[in-house]
Amino acid sequence: MICYDSFINTVGEYACDCELRSDMLLRITPYQGDLITIGTEFGFIVVTQDTMIMTSKGLWKQAKDIHVGNSLKSYTMNYDVVTMVRSEHVDGELMINVVDSQYEYLIVDNFYIS
């Protein structure tokens, strides 16, 4: 799941990923649990612990396994070095659950997630 205010062009529960030119079905879901904020030199993303993020080597890692100094694949900069990782417990935070997508991954806030 990704943070409700992440950059995805949406119209209601449907969205179109402009970079991949694919349609997807989204569900806004209240989430209770731990969220991970991952900050890099050029931006940040807020996701659930089990969200998969692509490293600069093209490998997938769960958000909970990302550490400061790791590098992530970025759509605009090719890769970003992780400068901050923060975990916080939330209760009822609105998150976006991608229900259906043509591709196995999405580009959200310049990061590749699955």
Side-chain angles (χ1 to χ4, degrees), residues 18-37:
C18 294
E19 286 88 7
L20 297 174
R21 303 282 190 251
S22 68
D23 294 331
M24 64 193 85
L25 179 60
L26 308 176
R27 290 280 189 255
I28 297 173
T29 309
Y31 178 76
Q32 179 179 353
D34 291 333
L35 293 181
I36 306 270
T37 302

Side-chain angles (χ1 to χ4, degrees), residues 36-39 63-64 66-70 82-87:
I36 306 270
T37 302
I38 299 172
K64 66 182 180 184
I66 302 290
H67 302 289
V68 172
N70 291 150
V82 176
T83 57
M84 181 269 300
V85 177
R86 183 178 69 224
S87 177

